[in-house]
């Protein structure tokens, strides 16, 4: 005999009601999730939202401290369009407070050329800033705000003992998203990168912690929350692809020490104007085919003049229109390294201070000789 389906449903409901009201044990957990005391059909462990792994807790603790001392820097540079009309151009970057009195470290390229500088703190308070010192050679700048009360400051760590693989954390304002934290590791150390103005930044820290436009000048922290680098550059122009670079904090410490001792940054001055000649042109001019920097002018009273470097004795026309002074010294090596471009001399000078000695190898009158030049000090920009 076939039992109608409605009767089967009725019997099943009756059986369920019997078991639920008779006190008979029934494993409902096999069919439905147990009821909570509030009557909901789900439950969450009480500690699920508050228990973190040790590494997560470390990230959280460092961020809480680092975020308070990381700032957003807005710069205004005035430029000219094709019709010579002046217009303001805004740029953004990051920085971090190193003293409770308002001193802030950042990159030179964040503040370079700015007519106006504005600093926004983590609590959204806004202050005007002034530049105390810059060092283009290591792309660093020190700026200051006049804030009320003591400000939170970060501890400067040790970048000389970094190990590939150790954890790092970056805090900054990528694409204007303030207070952003990214994490990663030290991917490599002692990297050399080329800047847009053809300068060489050496000894850089490479990291896979995401660094994007707007991160420049922000702190790169170790697992103790100490600053071991200043986020400076990315590989490529679009955004993070896992290859970012930070200036070691040891460079900033050296800059801060020099400011403390001398009140300013000492930039070296050689006092020459030179032009790079390649192998082909050098051969035409009956110079060593390795090429080098052909001195075009020696400034009066300069370190170069004191060292006996010589400028041109006559001028020739190259390529039908280009004037080139010849007869002067050809610099073929700087600090023992062959000259390969106009930037070769500048890279060597970037490692020097006023009063340091620069070793040059020059070609003069058919032979090479070595000259030691005691560098002068360039005029102060600030």
């Amino acid at each position: 005999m076939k039992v109608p389906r409605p009767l089967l449903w009725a019997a099943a409901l009756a059986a369920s009601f019997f078991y639920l009201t008779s006190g008979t044990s029934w494993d409902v957990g096999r069919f439905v999730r147990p009821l909570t005391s509030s009557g909901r059909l789900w439950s969450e462990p009480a500690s699920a939202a508050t228990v973190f792994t040790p590494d997560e807790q470390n990230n959280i603790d460092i961020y809480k401290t680092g975020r308070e001392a990381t700032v957003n820097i807005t710069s205004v540079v005035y430029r000219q369009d094709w019709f010579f009309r002046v217009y303001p151009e805004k740029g953004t970057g990051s920085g971090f407070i190193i003293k409770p009195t308002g001193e802030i470290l950042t990159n030179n390229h964040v503040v370079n050329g700015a007519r106006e500088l504005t600093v926004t703190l983590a609590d959204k308070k806004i202050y005007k800033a002034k530049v105390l010192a810059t060092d283009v050679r290591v792309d660093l700048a020190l700026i200051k705000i006049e804030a009320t009360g003591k400000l939170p400051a970060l501890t400067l760590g040790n970048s000389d003992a970094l190990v590939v693989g150790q954890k790092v954390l970056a805090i900054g304002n990528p694409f204007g998203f303030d207070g952003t934290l990214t994490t990663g590791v030290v991917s490599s150390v002692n990297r050399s990168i080329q800047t847009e103005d053809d300068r060489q930044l050496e000894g850089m820290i490479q990291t896979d912690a995401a660094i994007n436009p707007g991160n420049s000048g922000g702190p790169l922290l170790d697992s103790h929350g100490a600053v071991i680098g200043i986020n400076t550059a990315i590989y490529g122009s679009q955004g993070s692809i896992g290859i970012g670079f930070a200036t070691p904090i040891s460079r900033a410490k050296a800059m801060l020490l020099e400011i403390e001792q001398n009140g300013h940054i000492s930039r070296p001055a050689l006092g020459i104007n030179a032009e790079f000649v390649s192998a082909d042109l050098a051969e035409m001019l009956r110079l060593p085919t390795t090429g080098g920097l052909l001195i075009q002018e020696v400034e009066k009273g300069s370190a170069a003049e004191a060292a006996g470097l010589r400028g041109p004795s006559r001028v020739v026309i190259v390529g039908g229109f280009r004037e080139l002074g010849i007869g002067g010294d050809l610099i073929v090596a700087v600090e023992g390294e062959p000259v390969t471009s106009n930037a070769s001399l500048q890279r060597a000078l970037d490692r020097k201070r006023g009063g340091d000695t620069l070793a040059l190898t020059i070609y003069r009158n058919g032979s090479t000789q070595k000259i030691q030049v005691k560098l002068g000090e360039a005029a102060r920009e600030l």
Side-chain angles (χ1 to χ4, degrees), residues 116 131 136-137 142 146 205 223 249 275 279 314 318 343 347:
E116 300 174 24
V131 178
V136 67
R137 295 166 296 182
L142 180 67
E146 299 295 338
I205 304 165
S223 57
I249 199 62
E275 188 166 341
R314 60 189 187 279
V318 178
R347 282 198 295 268

Side-chain angles (χ1 to χ4, degrees), residues 342-381:
N342 283 312
S344 295
L345 178 60
Q346 187 60 57
R347 282 198 295 268
L349 289 173
D350 284 347
R351 305 186 195 106
K352 301 289 185 178
R353 303 288 183 191
D356 289 349
T357 299
L358 182 71
L360 300 177
T361 303
I362 64 169
Y363 177 82
R364 177 191 294 171
N365 298 330
S367 62
T368 59
Q369 57 182 285
K370 294 182 178 181
I371 291 181
Q372 299 289 323
V373 182
K374 185 177 180 180
L375 296 169
E377 186 173 340
R380 303 177 194 175
E381 296 178 6

Side-chain angles (χ1 to χ4, degrees), residues 245-294:
F245 300 96
T247 302
I249 199 62
S250 60
R251 304 284 174 81
K253 284 182 173 180
M255 182 184 81
L256 294 172
L257 179 62
E258 186 172 3
I259 294 171
E260 182 180 341
Q261 292 177 342
N262 303 327
H264 66 281
I265 300 297
S266 174
R267 295 178 175 84
L270 177 58
I272 65 168
N273 177 23
E275 188 166 341
F276 180 73
V277 293
S278 60
D280 292 344
L281 179 57
E283 186 176 12
M284 290 174 55
L285 298 173
R286 296 182 181 179
L287 296 171
T289 54
T290 54
L293 286 169
L294 187 59

Side-chain angles (χ1 to χ4, degrees), residues 86-293:
V86 177
Y87 66 94
E89 181 179 87
K90 281 191 175 182
T92 60
S94 304
F96 56 96
I97 303 168
I98 60 171
K99 290 186 179 180
T101 48
E103 285 87 347
I104 296 168
L105 268 177
T106 186
N107 284 133
N108 175 68
H109 73 259
V110 171
V111 303
N112 186 39
R115 298 291 295 275
E116 300 174 24
L117 278 180
T118 303
V119 168
T120 304
L121 304 183
D123 61 7
K124 304 304 179 184
K125 291 181 180 177
I126 300 174
Y127 297 92
K128 295 293 184 182
K130 64 178 180 180
V131 178
L132 297 182
T134 62
D135 195 340
V136 67
R137 295 166 296 182
V138 287
D139 196 10
L140 290 176
L142 180 67
I143 66 176
K144 191 177 190 305
I145 60 173
E146 299 295 338
T148 55
K150 290 186 176 181
L151 298 174
L154 291 178
T155 301
L156 304 187
N158 180 14
S159 58
D160 294 331
L162 295 180
V163 177
V164 173
Q166 75 177 80
K167 186 175 84 168
V168 291
L169 306 92
I171 303 177
N173 307 289
F175 299 109
F177 292 102
D178 62 301
T180 296
L181 170 72
T182 56
T183 63
V185 298
V186 173
S187 302
S188 187
V189 294
N190 294 322
R191 292 294 197 197
S192 295
I193 61 173
Q194 201 83 8
T195 65
E196 291 182 354
D197 59 356
D198 204 29
R199 287 181 177 271
Q200 191 92 351
L201 294 178
E202 300 176 339
M204 302 291 282
I205 304 165
Q206 181 185 332
T207 178
D208 66 346
I211 296 175
N212 288 288
N215 270 116
S216 289
L220 186 69
L221 307 160
D222 64 16
S223 57
H224 300 287
V227 183
I228 48 91
I230 300 98
N231 301 318
T232 300
I234 56 177
Y235 188 81
S237 58
Q238 299 304 313
S240 175
I241 57 172
I243 302 178
F245 300 96
T247 302
I249 199 62
S250 60
R251 304 284 174 81
K253 284 182 173 180
M255 182 184 81
L256 294 172
L257 179 62
E258 186 172 3
I259 294 171
E260 182 180 341
Q261 292 177 342
N262 303 327
H264 66 281
I265 300 297
S266 174
R267 295 178 175 84
L270 177 58
I272 65 168
N273 177 23
E275 188 166 341
F276 180 73
V277 293
S278 60
D280 292 344
L281 179 57
E283 186 176 12
M284 290 174 55
L285 298 173
R286 296 182 181 179
L287 296 171
T289 54
T290 54
L293 286 169

